[in-house]
Amino acid sequence: MSDTVEKRAICFTCAQQCGHVATVRDGMVVRLHGDRDHPRTAGFICPKGAQAHDLHHSPDRLHSPMKRRGARGSGDWEPISWDQALDEIADRLQQLAKAHGAETVAYTFGTIRGSDYSIGTRFMNLFGSPNSVGQDKICLGPITLGEFLTYGFGPSSPDLQPGVTRSLVLWGARPSQSARPAWHTMEKVLDAGAKCIVIDPARTEEAGRVDIWLRPRPGTDAALGLALLHEVIAARPDDSDFISRHTVGFEELKERAANYAADRVASITGCAAEDIRAAGKILCEDGPTAFVAGNGLCQTGVRTVQHGRILACLVALTGNLERKGGQALLGPPRDILANGDFMARDALDIAQRAKALGAEHFASIAHYDQIDETVARAWYGKRGIPHWLSTAHEPTLWQAILDGRPYPVKALIIQGHNPVGGSANTGEVREALLGDGLELLVAHDLFLNATSCLADYVLPAAHWLEKPHFSMGAASLAWSGDYVEAGTAVIPPQYEHRSDYDLFKGLGERCGQAEHWPERVEDFYDMMLAPAGMTFAELARNNGPLSGDAARKPASEAAAMPRGEVFGTLSGKIELRSDMLAAWGLDPLPDFRLSGIFARQDEFPLVLVTGGRKIEGFHQSSQQTPAFRRKNPDPVVTLHHDLAASAGIAEGQWIAIETPVGTVRQRAHIDDIYPSKVVHADRWWYPERAGPSSDPFGVAETNINMCTSNSLEDSDPIMGSWLMRGLPCRIVP
Ligand code: SF4
């Protein structure tokens, strides 16, 4: 007789963390559906969440550790035990650190795959290396840093209240595809009569609900933002009490924005001047306004942090900061260690912190501790709150491996990340991983992919269904104040799958860190919960989230301490002119310029956008899901009818896409989603093209990141964000 049970879970297929109910039959997850009782997502489930068990049970999963036998990338492996793998890797890491310094060991991780996401940063800090490399530079980090620099705190969340929120701005964001639960709330806000401004070159589902649709040429959003600031500033009295009491730099910002009058910006962006003015009018007259910014603003190279600053200034000057129905600054839970304590940053001494890859070029990496102090001033004195912005710079990592600048990186651990598919300039990434500079490459993943197939050791990762969950309300909630939820694993780890925590605990124990790694991840979560007077087991028994007073120890010191009105900036005010940027020798005011690569616009007259989300997929990780591949058998480049007609291109035809960085080919899809001079191309790899070849997984042939740029001159000067959206390109039938 079969044994069937239902179990509540939190989905980590993407970052939204929706409540699920899993049906488990004889140890197999046979169905996932939305948890109607979940107070935040109320039964919602998207196609990829509903198919998460297909990914988990995929016949292509890695089930045991493997060690490379032949040449790197040859596909010749021998299975080994976890103990052998951990012993050999730990030995090698320690030898290399002894020979070259601990900074020669780097760790890079991708998007969230469970509650123990990025836990390798703890191992790295205890090991003495500052080179934990995340994706914050291209994933909401620039928006958040813009807020830190402006308010001394962030990130803010749209306070979406149907009937209260009177206008909504969606800028470079497609929540209908990337954050569906939040989109449902936005639809209710719009149904209740709120006006909607969409800023996106693409005709999205969201654009179907708009009052004003602005379609800036990709890469020119900062100019548009400055034009909106100009409209807002022109419409408000200069001497208002708010300006004098709570801001610095108003006159300077006013002067800067005056260079970006709607008529001039129309010629830069391609947006109609009257539409820019109409959007400005809505911002001035139809508040409260909630702002939703997406990664469309974070992957445009040279002006990503300035986009964040512009947005923060717009929110402040339209009176929407901390306004009901506008933008809320909730922060992380107060008593739970939702900060850098659990990443052990204090274990890394000042001299080692200064060696973080990218620090010589990018101020936010060199001066992370100043950002940390800024946020601590606004948040109960707690350090480490913005720890996820403390990561090193990925393109500098490839450079350090390839030519030893600024120093050689000899060992790399890659976890839940496929940089040969997902990072900019993947030709260079592959060259770095295959070259002689790297003496040890370890990959911990669910599958062999274009990156893990190059490793010296491949370690089988546990899927989120096999791990306990612990959620503090990330993703669409941003920081949601006092909110916490936990639960036990849906099924125990199968085969030899191991969690991220268990991998680094195993390495930590072998590298002299045993006292820092509690036996089980649940014990580790207990450590994080201790200040709130809770345990993981109690929370898991609660079988659902706790929020507000229930999520903290009511009599605690932090709970008794109001945040006050002081902003964490150096001036204690909203800095329209950033004192910190000035202290770093950078322009303290928001501005606009195009990436250097546009100097070749004459040869490459079109504009390329990459990485648009499909609801069935999540970045690089859905390629093995049968439903995803049925719908997406090949990579697609989307182009306008006029462009296709003028180039003589037919639907479904394979065409070449060329940029100054590289060339790939994809299937043409003709649709007027984008304007006639803009094309969109997929990130791509074919799981079925595994195995040794000159182009495993078809990346060099088809992945658009062969054509994106990670050069210094195309990167943001504050944070180092690389360029994946808004590159000059051409197409060849
Ligand atoms: S939106 Fe994300 S978290 Fe929610 S069901 Fe879909 S994949 Fe899972």
Side-chain angles (χ1 to χ4, degrees):
M1 206 171 92
S2 70
D3 177 23
T4 303
V5 291
E6 288 205 328
K7 188 145 188 344
R8 294 179 83 178
I10 293 291
C11 178
F12 279 93
T13 305
C14 83
Q16 300 303 312
Q17 303 181 25
C18 300
H20 277 17
V21 177
T23 306
V24 183
R25 185 171 304 139
D26 299 331
M28 300 275 284
V29 182
V30 294
R31 180 173 176 244
L32 289 163
H33 64 273
D35 179 358
R36 286 179 199 284
D37 295 329
H38 194 276
R40 188 164 53 78
T41 55
F44 169 77
I45 191 166
C46 81
K48 59 187 171 289
Q51 290 146 14
H53 56 306
D54 287 345
L55 202 70
H56 164 61
H57 291 302
S58 165
D60 297 332
R61 277 285 294 277
L62 285 164
H63 291 319
S64 65
M66 298 194 296
K67 181 179 178 179
R68 174 170 68 82
R69 210 160 28 193
R72 200 174 268 166
S74 65
D76 187 6
W77 307 97
E78 63 174 308
I80 58 173
S81 70
W82 266 99
D83 276 342
Q84 183 188 342
L86 292 172
D87 287 346
E88 291 180 9
I89 294 166
D91 264 5
R92 198 76 190 106
L93 293 177
Q94 291 172 101
Q95 282 168 15
L96 289 168
K98 204 167 164 193
H100 303 279
E103 64 276 11
T104 204
V105 176
Y107 160 60
T108 182
F109 51 96
T111 47
I112 195 162
R113 296 283 187 275
S115 312
D116 51 358
Y117 164 72
S118 81
I119 192 70
T121 305
R122 180 178 176 86
F123 170 83
M124 294 291 287
N125 285 337
L126 292 163
F127 191 81
S129 173
N131 290 325
S132 293
V133 177
Q135 302 305 310
D136 54 293
K137 317 288 185 261
I138 53 161
C139 186
L140 297 183
I143 305 294
T144 308
L145 181 58
E147 292 187 309
F148 287 163
L149 291 168
T150 309
Y151 314 141
F153 193 58
S156 66
S157 307
D159 182 28
L160 298 164
Q161 298 206 26
V164 178
T165 303
R166 289 183 54 224
S167 54
L168 179 64
V169 177
L170 295 165
W171 199 333
R174 288 180 212 171
S176 67
Q177 303 300 298
S178 62
R180 199 89 189 181
W183 173 238
H184 289 324
T185 313
M186 290 173 211
E187 286 185 303
K188 286 182 192 150
V189 165
L190 297 177
D191 290 344
K195 292 187 174 165
C196 184
I197 302 169
V198 168
I199 305 177
D200 198 316
R203 179 169 35 78
T204 58
E205 183 178 334
E206 291 79 355
R209 304 283 318 247
V210 294
D211 294 274
I212 304 285
W213 179 20
L214 296 166
R215 306 180 84 183
R217 213 166 277 136
T220 64
D221 294 71
L224 176 60
L226 283 157
L228 291 174
L229 270 173
H230 174 65
E231 294 297 318
V232 166
I233 289 170
R236 64 169 301 135
D238 294 4
D239 59 351
S240 73
D241 188 46
F242 173 80
I243 296 292
S244 55
R245 280 182 53 212
H246 295 297
T247 71
V248 293
F250 178 75
E251 287 302 327
E252 291 106 306
L253 181 65
K254 182 179 173 184
E255 198 179 321
R256 173 67 59 88
N259 296 327
Y260 292 89
D263 291 322
R264 176 174 171 239
V265 168
S267 65
I268 299 172
T269 61
C271 301
E274 57 270 27
D275 287 347
I276 298 172
R277 283 190 277 268
K281 193 162 183 285
I282 289 177
L283 291 176
C284 293
E285 296 178 2
D286 291 295
T289 307
F291 293 75
V292 180
N295 281 337
L297 296 183
C298 300
Q299 299 177 1
T300 51
V302 293
R303 281 299 172 264
T304 58
V305 178
Q306 294 291 13
H307 285 316
R309 289 262 298 129
I310 288 166
L311 264 169
C313 292
L314 270 175
V315 169
L317 291 176
T318 51
N320 282 297
L321 187 61
E322 295 273 57
R323 181 182 186 184
K324 190 174 178 210
Q327 263 342 70
L329 283 174
L330 294 167
R334 279 181 272 184
D335 291 306
I336 299 161
L337 293 184
N339 58 34
D341 290 358
F342 65 93
M343 288 303 179
R345 182 163 168 90
D346 286 347
L348 202 59
D349 66 36
I350 301 283
Q352 283 305 100
R353 290 181 197 192
K355 292 179 187 166
L357 291 167
E360 73 278 31
H361 294 300
F362 305 113
S364 77
I365 300 175
H367 302 293
Y368 164 77
D369 286 329
Q370 286 178 27
I371 299 166
D372 190 21
E373 277 166 29
T374 293
V375 179
R377 276 196 289 275
W379 196 250
Y380 313 110
K382 276 192 179 182
R383 300 296 301 264
I385 296 288
H387 68 90
W388 59 283
L389 294 184
S390 70
T391 68
H393 186 240
E394 195 173 84
T396 309
L397 168 66
W398 313 130
Q399 175 193 293
I401 294 171
L402 279 169
D403 60 18
R405 282 184 298 140
Y407 50 77
V409 167
K410 296 285 180 188
L412 177 61
I413 303 172
I414 301 182
Q415 186 163 60
H417 182 27
N418 180 8
V420 174
S423 296
N425 193 1
T426 54
E428 181 189 76
V429 178
R430 192 155 188 274
E431 195 187 329
L433 300 184
L434 277 170
D436 295 336
L438 199 59
E439 295 185 25
L440 176 67
L441 177 57
V442 178
H444 181 231
D445 214 309
L446 300 174
F447 297 94
L448 273 183
N449 59 34
T451 302
S452 56
C453 77
L454 305 179
D456 304 319
Y457 294 87
V458 179
L459 307 173
H463 187 271
W464 63 260
L465 287 162
E466 302 170 286
K467 301 196 276 191
H469 67 259
F470 180 75
S471 165
M472 289 180 289
S476 63
L477 286 170
W479 280 336
S480 50
D482 296 301
Y483 178 98
V484 67
E485 177 170 15
T488 52
V490 172
I491 51 172
Q494 298 182 313
Y495 304 94
E496 295 182 64
H497 306 160
R498 276 200 193 176
S499 68
D500 302 18
Y501 181 86
D502 286 340
L503 162 61
F504 282 104
K505 172 178 173 279
L507 286 178
E509 285 169 342
R510 288 163 174 81
C511 293
Q513 305 175 8
E515 71 200 90
H516 299 281
W517 294 93
E519 181 57 25
R520 304 170 315 144
V521 73
E522 293 91 332
D523 305 325
F524 184 75
Y525 296 145
D526 278 347
M527 256 166 47
M528 294 171 72
L529 283 163
M534 285 184 270
T535 66
F536 178 86
E538 285 165 7
L539 202 51
R541 269 198 301 278
N542 189 61
N543 209 17
L546 298 176
S547 57
D549 282 346
R552 63 173 188 260
K553 194 163 55 179
S556 77
E557 208 180 306
M561 196 188 322
R563 243 189 69 216
E565 289 191 17
V566 180
F567 293 97
T569 49
L570 292 173
S571 62
K573 294 186 176 187
I574 297 168
E575 294 195 351
L576 306 173
R577 179 204 63 231
S578 166
D579 287 349
M580 198 176 289
L581 286 178
W584 295 344
L586 294 162
D587 186 348
L589 294 167
D591 74 340
F592 162 72
R593 79 174 163 86
L594 280 171
S595 298
I597 200 168
F598 276 95
R600 297 189 61 186
Q601 214 168 355
D602 287 349
E603 298 161 71
F604 298 91
L606 304 175
V607 184
L608 171 68
V609 185
T610 74
R613 196 74 71 77
K614 301 176 197 292
I615 186 85
E616 313 81 15
F618 187 58
H619 300 315
Q620 299 286 299
S621 62
S622 308
Q623 225 78 351
Q624 295 88 350
T625 312
F628 176 88
R629 286 307 303 284
R630 270 196 300 276
K631 196 165 171 196
N632 303 284
D634 290 310
V636 165
V637 53
T638 304
L639 45 145
H640 193 278
H641 279 98
D642 294 346
L643 179 58
S646 64
I649 293 169
E651 174 74 22
Q653 181 179 341
W654 285 92
I655 65 169
I657 308 142
E658 300 180 350
T659 72
V661 182
T663 302
V664 292
R665 64 189 209 113
Q666 299 194 345
R667 271 194 198 282
H669 172 54
I670 301 168
D671 196 317
D672 297 347
I673 292 173
Y674 287 90
S676 60
K677 299 277 189 226
V678 178
V679 300
H680 175 276
D682 285 346
R683 284 175 294 208
W684 192 259
W685 58 285
Y686 286 99
E688 62 272 22
R689 293 197 197 166
S693 83
S694 59
D695 183 19
F697 299 93
V699 166
E701 182 192 336
T702 59
N703 181 18
I704 197 59
N705 279 321
M706 292 293 294
C707 303
T708 52
S709 172
N710 61 4
S711 75
L712 204 55
E713 55 273 24
D714 291 330
S715 298
D716 181 83
I718 303 171
M719 190 175 214
S721 315
W722 39 99
L723 178 59
M724 304 174 96
R725 299 183 194 221
L727 297 100
C729 81
R730 63 188 173 214
I731 53 170
V732 183

